[in-house]
Amino acid sequence: MSKQSRLLEEERRKVNFNVEELTNIYDGGVEHTEMKRKVEAAIHNDPECRCKDVGMMTREERFNDGMRRTIHLNKVVFPREGWNAFSKELDYVLRNIGKEFCLGIHTGVFLPCILSFGSDEQIAKWLALGAQLQIIGTYAQTELGHGTFLRGLQTVATYDKASQEFIINCPEISAMKWWPGDMGKSANHALVMAQLVIDGKKYGMHPFIVQIRDLTTHMPLPGITVGDIGNKVGFETTDNGFLHFNQVRIPRENLLCKNSEVKPDGTYVAKTKDKMVYGSMVRLRAIFLEGEVVSALGKACTIAVRYSLVRQQGELEPGKPEVAVMEYMTQQKKLLPYVAMTYATHFACLKLRKMYNIFEQKVKEGDLSGLPELHALSAGMKASVAEQCTDGIEILRKSCGGHGYSNASGIPIIWARAVAGCTYEGENTVMYLQCARYLVKCYNQVQTNRLHGTVAYLNNMSQSTCRVNKANDFQQPGVLVACFQYRAREVIKSVAMKINHLTKNGFPNHEAWNKCSVELVNVVKAHITQYIVATFASVIDELSCSPPVKTVLLQMCALYALENITLYSGDFLKVGYLSPKQCDLALEAELDLLSRLRPNAVGLVDAFDYSDDLLQSCIGAYDGNVYERLFEWAKKSPLNKSEVHEETYKYLKSYLHAGRDILEGETKSKL
Amino acid sequence: MSERINPDLQKERDAATFDVEELSVLLHNGAHELEKKRKLEELVRNDPDYKSLPFDFLSREAQYEEGVRRSTIAVAKKDQLDSLIENHGDLITYNTHVGRGRAGPFNLHTGMFIPTLVKQGSPEQVAKWLPLSEDYEIIGTYAQTEMGHGTFLRGLETTAHYDPHTQEFVLNSPTTTSIKWWPGALGKTSTHAVVLAQLYTLGKCHGIHAFVVQLRSLEDHKSLPGITVGDIGPKFGYGANDNGFLKLSNHRIPRENMLMKYSKVAPDGSYNKPPKSTLTYGTMTFVRAMIVRGSAQAIAQGATIAIRYSAVRRQSEMRPGEPEPQVLSYPTQQYKLFPLLCAAYAFHFVQVKMIEAYSEVTELVNKGDFSRTQELHALSSGLKAYTSAISNTGLEVCRTSCGGHGYSCASGFPALYTNFTPSVTYEGENTVLLLQCARYLVKCTRDLRSGAKLPGSVAYLSCGCDPSSIGKDFTNVKTLDSLYKQRALGLIRFASGKVDASMAGGMDLVGALNESSVHLVRAAVAHSHYFVVRNFFEKLSMLASTSQPLMEVLHQLSLFYALDGIAQHSGEFLEDGLLSGEDVKQIRQLTVDMLPRIRVNAVALVDSFEFGDDVLGSVLGRYDGNVYENLFKWAQNSPLNKTDVHPSYHKYLQPLLQRNKSKL
């Protein structure tokens, strides 16, 4: 056993709580852990779909291999295991197959959208085909020139009464569909969002099903230009595509008509607007945040913490042996707050999903009143959590020093995918401002109405200050939650008052809003951090578990909160809730916590339960055998296929032979 | 392709209040230098030998091949450039354009191998190796870092045992962790390396020394017996570089291959100590100064792409019913980008200062005066860490400010970021460097107590702490200078107070430093930040012949940089009682109020950096702003588009799709 493996083993002996118990809590119950492991085993034991190292592969190799795996999963694994698109196991399938798969938009967006937008007959026709992978679809909304701002989209669908067809067209280059996943090479159908025009009148964005490739040859149909948009930071297995329409005709029936219909004579019939579209966005955001962002942070934490426990560098005491880099306070301050962030944001995502489930129940009873709150919360969470977590992954990568930069660490690949979350599904700044709109509205109501749910803390507007006078008090969740609530409501109050002031002085609403938008982003960050801290504290409070696990979770909660106080001390001081002295105490409390958490560090990341298959990291594997793994990995580099790299040696040869002649001439003359 | 400039971008350029050419000349150190740079760029741009697919579409292996191809062509063309190349800097400019801003496989040869030979080799060694190296008849690298050790030099494990019988050194990698790991061009390109190893002679270890080791045969390029060498595999970036591993097994080299300008091993094995141990300092400090320059350039490139694209991109409605505004018109977008634009200027002036300081101190050292080496070392450590960290996160801010398109390699950001980000971990990991800087600051505060006079960059440490003396006119340069000075003083004194307290409680210095390391890092950041702010003001005050309109703009940038820095770190200013909550609100408002004035010149300010489209490698940041048609053109190159129907279709999809064709 290598020295590094022994070090990690010793670390695990120091852990003072039951790791398995914490895993069960993290997963949401022991039965979930069991199901997760069952799925994990089924995938791990099938060599055709087991996760593998992709660090050496080209974009195209990864695309090909992703497609192979996806088809195997659908054709062989699902029937064998008795899983389908609706079974409970699906969440765990997504978790355990890793990120190297294709057709994610087909199953994750195209099919659900047919359900949301289609009439019963349309659903019967298209969903059946799609579910069996007899057609492959994409969701084509974003264009080259427009993304988040839906109304700006330029693709047009003009109704032609004579033929009872729609003519889909891109009037200029910026109208070309750009970015949709699975669109470049895989899909033969697209759900296209286009401006509906009848008799010269515009009716806004509508969803159309358009066949884009021939069903036999897979060649693009006439009038269609389609292809891959080229390499990106990550998402190598996804063929994000471009799609250009030149007067493409589709039958009238291909307008998905649950919400609105066009009669053969061109009459436009609007049906009731379906707000559940927004509802399903909330659900998607919760799933996306956990699956794409928080889990990525958890994996990066696992790698960085394990590596920091076996990497030895420098002397703490002159003459003594070198110490693990984790012994350095600065390293603890870099890593452990992100472990805490993983726990904090994970529980916040679980909570968001629970809130959505309750909301869905109420919708069935006809009660849609919870939608604005839920929508605002999920938008704010999306932006704030995606930003915090992906920033964290990069900090963790850098905390691994040079080796973090190698694909062998696994972190570059994890980051490259997760970071897309900051710009897709709603650009972050736009998301922040959507949430801010709701918060300002709530603030303006608080004088007349009592607020409930996630904004109830705004009801209390009395002035106060924090009473803490020793560092230890900052370990109490109640004290911390109060800090964050006070800060959030004060920053909301201050911007809301400024907006009101501006509008009273004659500024139109949109101008006042735009003038304050910089501060509004900060308001949402304050609100969401408050929500995460409060949620974490209440989750722990309701938990029945062993005292050591409870202690360590309370420490995680306090660490997440204290790190945010130290980072944003300006806010807490400015609103007058904390004094400079108390800010010092908060930092002291945080440093003290780090030392106490240090012995449990490996247990805290082991509890996330990411297998070596999922981490694909030479430096973060469970056994800590970092260096031998690195060496074995490097030997597989494509440049090492031959001892001399012939393709480049041909450029060097003539120079080096001149060197040989000089040096050998010298040796000969010496002889 | 249309030659026209995107009208939105042209409008921005027309609105600028200063002369772009004047600023370009200033930024490039005079009209002569600027002219030369333009000619060199032109030369590369028009040379058909340097045409190729965008690097983004090449596999790792193809990137490496293309890197070697370009670099060797550049070597062959060196003679044709003689009239243009006046100094080493010009050659770097040329090579940067050849490599399209990416580190090529000869960087370590010219940047580390040759300088080490020159600085550490004896005259005979230099006479032997230098001509060969300069003509690329051998290609060298610098092998210091090992798998298990980087920043901590004394921990290196590679050994060189002297054998007096054969007058050879026997080199070994005794453990897996001792395998040399990371050196650029070590894997496949280099024939030689300067290897750092623990020297043993006559049974005694004398610490780290440098040895010239031949790795590969000059006949057929095969690795020599006792040498296991190869590429360490793909990384985040640096695809064109074969960072390598090297395992030595009883590999023998002649005694003459130890670099012996200072330390010497005589044929009988007796060891001769160097007179001064700080002699290698210079190289490290210089490399750090170069990283400060790199940080300034990286953030300037990021700002160029993001600001041009934000001027071209239109999105949403600000006022109901009106046309979509340019993204650059949103205050949130300005607030993301302008602090970074200002940082690019602040960093430009600080890298100039850093290189001046390096030259001054080198001159002193050459006269035998070592009095300022420690200061310079601390300054370069602090600035390297500070500027690279800001540019690193700043690049990601620029990328995400471009929305979805920033995520595509077409934006240029993925390559820019992944190639820049190692700056925060290599040549001294940032946290370690901040702690080195802080350690010096702690030492200075102690020296003060014994009445010492402190040199330039730390002289202010002797000032008194007096928050009440700071004025309230936050647009006054003196006020801002005092604020930053007092913040740095406060944090440095707080941190060194903690260290003193721990030691008074019986802890040794090293333990005390570790216990307070989080505070020390904050102190070093505040010190470096202050230096950047102060230098920005100072450099502007020294500009003599600059026109009034340009001075106004530069002054605005320096003010915004300083004010925004306070808003970002308001906690530290509030905690020390330097500012009240009301003051911070006022300062934040001042920065927001300045945004529209900076916006007028934003495009012109990035144009002045004059990064050619080839170096930016960005469709979004093109000078002509013709973003959309070129995105489409760029995408055609995707490897997946080689055929209309991708081969994976026939292999995997077709059997699925056509199971039940009759249904449609």
Side-chain angles (χ1 to χ4, degrees):
Chain A
M1 188 191 278
S2 72
K3 176 171 146 199
Q4 286 71 32
S5 298
R6 275 201 310 276
L7 283 170
L8 207 53
E9 231 175 42
E10 279 165 32
E11 284 295 330
R12 291 205 167 94
R13 279 199 292 273
K14 289 187 209 160
V15 174
N16 72 9
F17 64 89
N18 181 339
V19 173
E20 182 67 15
E21 187 189 350
L22 183 53
T23 300
N24 293 337
I25 293 168
Y26 194 85
D27 290 342
V30 63
E31 65 284 3
H32 289 276
T33 307
E34 277 165 10
M35 192 189 285
K36 177 185 79 181
R37 298 229 170 107
K38 215 183 93 210
V39 171
E40 188 171 2
I43 290 170
H44 176 86
N45 294 331
D46 182 340
E48 285 289 304
C49 74
R50 184 176 172 179
C51 296
K52 67 175 180 195
D53 177 28
V54 296
M56 306 271 188
M57 288 160 69
T58 66
R59 158 93 203 282
E60 196 168 1
E61 285 164 356
R62 285 172 73 175
F63 176 63
N64 290 343
D65 199 58
M67 189 63 85
R68 181 193 59 73
R69 256 180 115 217
T70 306
I71 301 304
H72 177 77
L73 198 70
N74 275 282
K75 225 162 65 175
V76 180
V77 183
F78 270 57
R80 184 183 69 207
E81 305 291 332
W83 302 333
N84 64 48
F86 306 100
S87 48
K88 282 186 191 151
E89 284 88 353
L90 198 70
D91 280 355
Y92 296 113
V93 174
L94 283 173
R95 178 191 193 269
N96 289 304
I97 54 173
K99 302 299 176 194
E100 300 291 308
F101 61 88
C102 296
L103 308 183
I105 296 297
H106 170 78
T107 35
V109 186
F110 177 72
L111 296 181
C113 279
I114 287 179
L115 268 172
S116 301
F117 299 135
S119 66
D120 292 344
E121 306 84 71
Q122 286 172 326
I123 292 173
K125 176 179 178 183
W126 299 108
L127 194 67
L129 285 162
Q132 296 294 314
L133 284 180
Q134 287 155 343
I135 61 167
I136 293 168
T138 178
Y139 178 78
Q141 175 178 308
T142 302
E143 294 172 0
L144 195 44
H146 282 90
T148 306
F149 182 62
L150 251 174
R151 276 176 296 157
L153 297 177
Q154 294 172 299
T155 301
V156 186
T158 312
Y159 185 61
D160 174 19
K161 265 180 270 185
S163 62
Q164 295 194 20
E165 288 171 326
F166 292 104
I167 306 161
I168 315 281
N169 195 42
C170 296
E172 54 184 302
I173 192 153
S174 58
M176 187 181 334
K177 294 294 175 189
W178 198 272
W179 276 114
D182 307 342
M183 191 163 84
K185 292 288 155 184
S186 313
N188 58 11
H189 284 71
L191 199 161
V192 176
M193 297 302 280
Q195 288 279 358
L196 171 63
V197 177
I198 310 169
D199 292 331
K201 190 175 168 215
K202 286 184 182 175
Y203 290 86
M205 301 310 302
H206 285 73
F208 301 86
I209 297 244
V210 186
Q211 186 182 335
I212 57 176
R213 286 180 179 268
D214 182 88
L215 300 178
T216 307
T217 64
H218 207 58
M219 286 294 281
L221 295 181
I224 301 249
T225 310
V226 64
D228 175 76
I229 63 161
N231 296 3
K232 300 140 294 189
V233 177
F235 275 87
E236 286 78 358
T237 53
T238 304
D239 50 327
N240 297 84
F242 58 76
L243 172 61
H244 184 272
F245 300 100
N246 183 10
Q247 313 284 352
V248 173
R249 287 175 170 267
I250 56 166
R252 187 182 62 89
E253 296 77 20
N254 281 23
L255 166 66
L256 290 180
C257 60
K258 186 180 201 168
N259 300 328
S260 46
E261 198 180 342
V262 175
K263 298 281 181 203
D265 65 355
T267 318
Y268 180 79
V269 186
K271 303 176 191 172
T272 45
K273 192 161 164 53
D274 186 0
K275 285 197 181 151
M276 270 315 284
V277 175
Y278 296 103
S280 56
M281 260 157 64
V282 174
R283 195 179 139 265
L284 269 177
R285 279 179 195 148
I287 295 175
F288 142 81
L289 278 178
E290 175 62 37
E292 293 288 340
V293 175
V294 178
S295 60
L297 180 64
K299 288 176 194 170
C301 282
T302 307
I303 295 167
V305 167
R306 287 181 184 161
Y307 178 62
S308 296
L309 290 167
V310 302
R311 172 78 171 182
Q312 295 182 311
Q313 193 83 325
E315 299 162 343
L316 258 182
E317 289 176 63
K320 291 272 170 67
E322 290 186 74
V323 297
V325 290
M326 187 61 106
E327 301 306 336
Y328 293 94
M329 286 297 294
T330 44
Q331 188 77 353
Q332 294 170 17
K333 178 85 162 64
K334 259 184 226 171
L335 301 187
L336 298 178
Y338 288 106
V339 178
M341 182 187 284
T342 311
Y343 280 96
T345 52
H346 169 77
F347 287 116
C349 287
L350 282 188
K351 173 81 180 182
L352 181 63
R353 224 168 146 175
K354 266 189 207 146
M355 284 171 68
Y356 174 77
N357 291 340
I358 294 168
F359 165 75
E360 208 180 22
Q361 275 315 115
K362 287 199 174 159
V363 170
K364 282 181 189 149
E365 298 154 18
D367 177 5
L368 271 151
S369 60
L371 188 57
E373 178 194 2
L374 207 52
H375 183 253
L377 178 67
S378 71
M381 284 263 292
K382 188 267 169 189
S384 180
V385 172
E387 189 177 313
Q388 288 178 39
C389 292
T390 54
D391 285 353
I393 296 169
E394 260 301 271
I395 290 173
L396 293 164
R397 177 183 68 73
K398 290 179 276 182
S399 80
C400 298
H403 290 317
Y405 189 70
S406 168
N407 283 0
S409 77
I411 305 184
I413 292 160
I414 292 170
W415 177 82
R417 181 172 175 114
V419 76
C422 291
T423 45
Y424 68 55
E425 296 307 321
E427 193 275 332
N428 271 2
T429 304
V430 177
M431 292 292 104
Y432 278 126
L433 292 175
Q434 281 184 9
C435 179
R437 215 169 266 282
Y438 176 74
L439 294 175
V440 170
K441 201 172 121 206
C442 286
Y443 172 81
N444 287 333
Q445 289 170 351
V446 80
Q447 281 90 351
T448 47
N449 288 318
R450 267 200 90 67
L451 299 170
H452 300 282
T454 54
V455 287
Y457 72 97
L458 294 175
N459 288 324
N460 174 10
M461 277 289 171
S462 59
Q463 297 289 321
S464 65
T465 51
C466 179
R467 298 232 181 86
V468 165
N469 56 25
K470 51 183 195 300
N472 217 12
D473 296 347
F474 274 119
Q475 317 284 356
Q476 296 166 24
V479 169
L480 294 165
V481 170
C483 286
F484 283 90
Q485 291 186 338
Y486 197 91
R487 167 216 186 191
R489 65 166 233 226
E490 285 300 309
V491 294
I492 293 171
K493 184 164 89 182
S494 140
V495 185
M497 280 165 60
K498 192 167 156 191
I499 294 174
N500 294 343
H501 175 79
L502 287 170
T503 46
K504 270 191 202 122
N505 283 298
F507 283 95
N509 280 334
H510 58 262
E511 240 168 76
W513 182 260
N514 194 38
K515 268 183 176 302
C516 295
S517 52
V518 169
E519 286 140 288
L520 286 163
V521 169
N522 186 45
V523 160
V524 177
K525 287 182 186 172
H527 169 70
I528 297 297
T529 314
Q530 171 279 137
Y531 171 77
I532 293 173
V533 173
T535 304
F536 198 0
S538 78
V539 165
I540 300 171
D541 194 43
E542 288 159 18
L543 213 56
S544 50
C545 62
S546 69
V549 165
K550 193 151 206 161
T551 304
V552 84
L553 280 172
L554 280 169
Q555 287 172 336
M556 286 282 97
C557 180
L559 180 57
Y560 177 75
L562 288 168
E563 172 75 5
N564 273 287
I565 292 179
T566 2
L567 274 177
Y568 298 99
S569 61
D571 263 10
F572 293 91
L573 289 161
K574 200 173 68 180
V575 301
Y577 191 68
L578 295 181
S579 68
K581 175 81 190 131
Q582 286 169 326
C583 285
D584 283 349
L585 290 178
L587 179 58
E588 200 181 303
E590 187 185 353
L591 298 179
D592 179 48
L593 252 184
L594 294 176
S595 312
R596 281 191 280 149
L597 280 162
R598 157 73 188 82
N600 280 326
V602 75
L604 283 164
V605 296
D606 282 353
F608 296 143
D609 204 15
Y610 289 114
S611 64
D612 287 353
D613 271 12
L614 284 175
L615 296 176
Q616 294 297 335
S617 170
C618 293
I619 68 172
Y622 188 82
D623 68 5
N625 195 12
V626 170
Y627 297 114
E628 280 162 30
R629 266 210 181 76
L630 268 179
F631 194 30
E632 286 314 306
W633 186 85
K635 288 177 188 163
K636 289 182 279 186
S637 168
L639 296 190
N640 294 334
K641 271 180 306 210
S642 59
E643 173 69 43
V644 175
H645 192 254
E646 294 298 339
E647 279 303 303
T648 50
Y649 183 55
K650 71 181 181 215
Y651 299 113
L652 303 174
K653 201 170 180 173
S654 62
Y655 294 98
L656 299 177
H657 279 182
R660 170 200 62 190
D661 295 344
I662 294 169
L663 283 171
E664 285 184 355
E666 186 191 63
T667 327
K668 275 175 202 150
S669 67
K670 262 193 185 171
L671 295 171
Chain B
M1 186 59 47
S2 58
E3 292 290 321
R4 75 180 176 111
I5 301 283
N6 173 292
D8 283 329
L9 208 49
Q10 189 58 52
K11 201 180 71 205
E12 297 291 333
R13 288 187 175 127
D14 294 341
T17 63
F18 69 94
D19 177 18
V20 170
E21 183 71 11
E22 185 188 358
L23 182 52
S24 279
V25 169
L26 176 70
L27 290 173
H28 291 89
N29 201 20
H32 174 70
E33 293 294 319
L34 179 61
E35 221 24 65
K36 213 164 51 182
K37 168 193 170 270
R38 286 176 181 166
K39 277 190 190 142
L40 285 169
E41 264 181 44
E42 187 75 23
L43 213 62
V44 176
R45 189 162 40 241
N46 297 333
D47 191 333
D49 286 340
Y50 295 130
K51 294 266 176 282
S52 73
L53 266 184
F55 268 73
D56 299 310
F57 288 119
L58 302 178
S59 70
R60 159 83 208 296
E61 194 169 359
Q63 284 186 32
Y64 169 62
E65 282 169 31
E66 184 58 18
V68 178
R69 189 186 73 82
R70 282 168 177 262
S71 303
T72 44
I73 288 175
V75 170
K77 292 189 185 224
K78 219 169 57 176
D79 298 339
Q80 307 168 19
L81 302 171
D82 271 352
S83 59
L84 279 170
I85 307 270
E86 293 172 359
N87 52 43
H88 191 62
D90 299 335
L91 196 61
I92 292 178
T93 307
Y94 182 73
N95 286 335
T96 305
H97 282 268
V98 168
R100 294 196 181 158
R102 286 161 161 83
F106 294 160
N107 276 28
L108 268 268
H109 176 72
T110 50
M112 287 299 283
F113 182 71
I114 293 180
T116 309
L117 278 180
V118 171
K119 284 191 178 139
Q120 298 189 37
S122 66
E124 306 81 62
Q125 289 175 321
V126 174
K128 174 176 178 183
W129 301 108
L130 189 62
L132 286 165
S133 310
E134 285 185 329
D135 291 338
Y136 290 83
E137 285 153 356
I138 61 172
I139 297 165
T141 178
Y142 182 80
Q144 174 178 312
T145 303
E146 295 171 359
M147 205 191 285
H149 282 92
T151 306
F152 182 63
L153 249 174
R154 275 177 296 155
L156 296 178
E157 297 176 277
T158 304
T159 56
H161 285 273
Y162 184 62
D163 175 359
H165 301 295
T166 58
Q167 298 192 18
E168 289 171 322
F169 291 103
V170 187
L171 277 82
N172 268 302
S173 309
T175 58
T176 307
T177 47
S178 72
I179 297 171
K180 293 290 176 191
W181 202 268
W182 279 113
L186 174 64
K188 292 287 161 186
T189 314
S190 296
T191 61
H192 286 67
V194 167
V195 172
L196 271 75
Q198 302 281 0
L199 166 65
Y200 286 86
T201 175
L202 304 178
K204 212 178 153 224
C205 179
H206 294 279
I208 294 296
H209 287 73
F211 303 84
V212 175
V213 180
Q214 184 176 345
L215 309 170
R216 290 179 176 272
S217 148
L218 294 173
E219 174 69 38
D220 56 11
H221 209 56
K222 290 216 169 96
S223 55
L224 298 180
I227 302 262
T228 310
V229 68
D231 174 75
I232 62 161
K235 298 137 297 189
F236 212 6
Y238 272 68
N241 204 315
D242 52 325
N243 298 77
F245 60 77
L246 166 64
K247 189 168 183 288
L248 297 150
S249 317
N250 288 318
H251 182 69
R252 289 178 169 262
I253 56 170
R255 187 184 63 90
E256 295 81 15
N257 281 24
M258 175 173 135
L259 291 178
M260 296 212 211
K261 184 170 184 181
Y262 303 109
S263 322
K264 294 184 175 67
V265 173
D268 66 356
S270 57
Y271 176 74
N272 221 323
K273 239 178 119 169
K276 187 91 189 166
S277 60
T278 51
L279 284 172
T280 47
Y281 250 5
T283 324
M284 259 156 57
T285 313
F286 182 70
V287 170
R288 281 170 199 165
M290 283 300 153
I291 296 178
V292 177
R293 169 181 283 185
S295 305
Q297 281 180 347
I299 196 61
Q301 290 179 352
T304 304
I305 298 170
I307 286 175
R308 284 183 185 157
Y309 178 62
S310 298
V312 170
R313 177 82 170 179
R314 289 178 169 273
Q315 191 81 344
S316 303
E317 292 168 341
M318 211 180 293
R319 295 179 181 78
E322 284 190 7
E324 295 177 72
Q326 293 159 280
V327 178
L328 192 58
S329 299
Y330 289 94
T332 43
Q333 187 78 350
Q334 297 167 359
Y335 199 67
K336 272 181 215 171
L337 298 179
F338 295 171
L340 299 168
L341 174 65
C342 294
Y345 276 87
F347 292 0
H348 167 78
F349 289 112
V350 91
Q351 63 91 5
V352 171
K353 173 78 183 177
M354 194 56 234
I355 288 164
E356 285 168 6
Y358 172 76
S359 316
E360 283 165 27
V361 175
T362 309
E363 215 164 287
L364 289 176
V365 167
N366 288 342
K367 290 181 199 153
D369 175 357
F370 291 89
S371 61
R372 284 189 60 197
T373 50
Q374 268 196 321
E375 182 212 357
L376 184 69
H377 180 252
L379 182 65
S380 69
S381 304
L383 287 178
K384 182 267 184 186
Y386 178 72
T387 58
S388 66
I390 301 279
S391 295
N392 188 70
T393 46
L395 282 178
E396 268 296 281
V397 173
C398 291
R399 180 182 70 72
T400 48
S401 83
C402 295
H405 290 320
Y407 190 71
S408 165
C409 290
S411 73
F413 279 115
L416 188 54
Y417 181 75
T418 55
N419 287 311
F420 175 73
T421 188
S423 305
V424 305
T425 47
Y426 67 36
E427 299 305 329
E429 192 274 335
N430 274 2
T431 304
V432 176
L433 291 188
L434 288 170
L435 288 172
Q436 285 180 11
C437 174
R439 214 183 157 129
Y440 174 71
L441 297 171
V442 170
K443 183 183 164 294
C444 286
T445 54
R446 294 195 174 164
D447 291 351
L448 269 179
R449 273 179 249 151
S450 53
K453 196 173 174 301
L454 298 177
S457 63
V458 285
Y460 75 96
L461 291 178
S462 60
C463 294
C465 261
D466 184 12
S468 62
S469 70
I470 302 170
K472 291 281 170 195
D473 176 5
F474 299 124
T475 56
N476 183 310
V477 169
K478 274 209 181 100
T479 309
L480 293 169
D481 184 276
S482 311
L483 279 168
Y484 276 92
K485 185 198 294 177
Q486 293 292 339
R487 167 203 179 210
L489 275 175
L491 287 169
I492 293 167
R493 284 182 191 157
F494 179 78
S496 49
K498 285 258 173 201
V499 173
D500 290 344
S502 304
M503 290 178 73
M507 206 180 269
D508 65 351
L509 177 65
V510 183
L513 287 171
N514 186 43
E515 200 181 56
S516 300
S517 53
V518 172
H519 304 298
L520 289 165
V521 165
R522 273 164 46 132
V525 168
H527 169 71
S528 309
H529 193 179
Y530 174 42
F531 187 85
V532 176
V533 169
R534 191 179 58 201
N535 179 70
F536 201 166
F537 290 143
E538 274 173 13
K539 286 275 174 208
L540 294 188
S541 70
M542 290 187 306
L543 293 177
S545 55
T546 306
S547 73
Q548 190 53 31
L550 179 55
M551 265 323 286
E552 256 167 47
V553 173
L554 290 174
H555 177 65
Q556 228 171 46
L557 297 183
S558 65
L559 268 188
F560 187 86
Y561 181 73
L563 287 167
D564 180 62
I566 296 174
Q568 304 288 343
H569 299 88
S570 61
E572 291 176 352
F573 292 88
L574 287 159
E575 268 181 59
D576 269 346
L578 304 173
L579 294 171
S580 68
E582 271 313 308
D583 293 338
V584 171
K585 268 188 201 160
Q586 197 195 331
I587 285 173
R588 193 157 281 152
Q589 192 57 47
L590 277 172
T591 59
V592 174
D593 291 344
M594 284 179 81
L595 294 173
R597 278 183 282 151
I598 296 180
R599 186 248 153 93
V600 175
N601 288 311
V603 169
L605 282 166
V606 296
D607 284 350
S608 305
F609 294 129
E610 265 202 35
F611 293 112
D613 283 350
D614 291 350
V615 164
L616 283 181
S618 166
V619 178
L620 305 188
R622 292 169 64 91
Y623 183 80
D624 66 12
N626 293 321
V627 169
Y628 295 126
E629 49 272 57
N630 283 294
L631 266 178
F632 188 43
K633 217 174 133 186
W634 181 89
Q636 313 296 322
N637 296 314
S638 170
L640 267 55
N641 292 335
K642 267 180 302 213
T643 53
D644 214 332
V645 176
H646 192 262
S648 65
Y649 169 77
H650 299 292
K651 262 166 105 174
Y652 307 115
L653 288 179
Q654 194 176 31
L656 267 179
L657 290 167
Q658 299 189 351
R659 269 176 304 170
N660 258 318
K661 220 170 57 179
S662 57
K663 274 194 198 166
L664 276 168

